Structure formats: structure tokens, C-alpha cells
Amino acid sequence: PGWLKFNAHKNFLGFGDYDVNVLTAALNENECDLEWHDNRTNIEAADLSTSVGLIVHIQPEWFFRRGHWFAIRYFDQVVTAPVVPKIFVGQPRAARSEYEREERDYEAKTYEPGFWNLDSKLPHPEFIGDRDCLNIYLHDLAKKNRMHVLRVVPLKSMSVSSSST
């Protein structure tokens, strides 16, 4: 039947989220690739100097629940971001009262270069800090969840040596 078609990028039952192959294909189109971090070693040992960022996969606790993917990225410049009151975060502008819809200036906070959690489930990007803070953050996350860390790295160009005869 038509509903029983196999999709190589979904789970074996044919429903749910796409797997890491879709993510890999999208990154390849943008000149990047994924390298899996070996969970048997500490993340502190990983060389992140060539990484564009990290992708973290939190595995589901139960079989039929979905996992969650999010990105962590290092910004090597000072970042200034507005501090938005939590009451406004994630609330559509049209759903706010007239007072809440008024334009206003928010207090800005300046962050030193460092790692940012770009999880779409958060109301806004979350500043993690330097490499030591990242190690602590990932270590704490690993205590609470089954997870995988993937490094996003520039795509390795294959050097083809051609010999002319």
C-alpha cells in the first residue's frame, strides 16, 4: 500500500523525526560535515579548534518519544543582546495587550566571546561561557540525559592527484 513506503531518513516504523542523515546532507550542502564525539571519552579532550559548532542530540527516554537536537556555537567577538522580560518572550505580538505592544528600549547586556546554546526550545539564545563553562555544561547535561555530541567541521576537500602520462 501507498502508506507503507520506506523512507531511509525516518525511523524504521516510518514515522517520527528524520535521522542524522538529513542533517548531514544539509551540512554537506553548506561545506560542513559531522564528526561524532566518542562518548567513552570526556568532551574536555575534544579538539574544538577546527569546529564550526556542536550539535547535541538528547535521546528520548521512551521508545515512542522524540529526541531533541540543538546547536552550540562559539562566537569569537563581543556580543551585545537585549535583555527581554520573560513575559514577552515567545508571546506573539498580536496576543499582547496595547501596553505590551508599545515599542520600548530594552536593557542591553554585553557578553565576552564564548559559547552560546542556540536551542529553539529556549526563549532566546543562552550564553554558556568559555571552554571550561562548556565542559561543565555538557557534563551536567550528560548526567541527566542520554546524549550524543557531534562536532560540525568544515568539509574536508578530497585531494585527487592526477598523474599525466
Side-chain angles (χ1 to χ4, degrees):
W3 59 270
L4 196 55
K5 290 184 182 174
F6 175 73
N7 184 337
H9 298 294
K10 289 195 173 197
N11 70 26
F12 72 95
L13 294 176
F15 63 88
D17 291 334
Y18 286 89
D19 68 7
V20 73
N21 293 321
V22 173
L23 187 56
T24 302
L27 287 169
N28 287 171
E29 287 181 10
N30 290 289
E31 306 286 324
C32 290
D33 200 7
L34 287 177
E35 288 183 0
W36 291 75
H37 172 71
D38 185 353
N39 284 345
R40 296 173 294 183
T41 62
N42 288 334
I43 191 68
E44 292 90 355
D47 178 19
L48 301 182
S49 63
T50 60
S51 298
V52 174
L54 300 174
I55 294 180
V56 179
H57 178 237
I58 305 292
Q59 291 184 302
E61 297 169 7
W62 305 328
F63 180 71
F64 286 107
R65 296 210 48 192
R66 290 192 256 171
H68 181 61
W69 300 84
F70 65 92
I72 294 176
R73 178 111 194 242
Y74 181 81
F75 290 97
D76 60 357
Q77 57 195 11
V78 173
V79 174
T80 302
V83 178
V84 180
K86 289 190 186 256
I87 189 169
F88 300 136
V89 175
Q91 185 184 35
R93 191 170 171 80
R96 300 176 189 171
S97 71
E98 188 174 325
Y99 166 75
E100 292 170 338
R101 284 195 299 268
E102 290 177 7
E103 292 293 325
R104 61 179 51 83
D105 292 327
Y106 294 110
E107 175 189 342
K109 187 170 181 181
T110 302
Y111 298 92
E112 293 300 315
F115 291 92
W116 286 77
N117 180 348
L118 304 177
D119 189 345
S120 63
K121 288 189 174 184
L122 295 174
H124 50 78
E126 176 183 68
F127 182 69
I128 296 172
D130 63 7
R131 176 62 193 262
D132 291 334
C133 293
L134 175 69
N135 293 339
I136 292 167
Y137 178 83
L138 291 174
H139 182 70
D140 290 347
L141 199 60
K143 276 195 235 177
K144 301 175 195 167
N145 303 284
R146 292 186 318 158
M147 64 176 237
H148 297 288
V149 176
L150 299 91
R151 291 179 43 226
V152 179
V153 294
L155 195 60
K156 295 180 178 118
S157 58
M158 297 178 67
S159 57
V160 179
S161 59
S162 59
S163 58
S164 56
T165 54

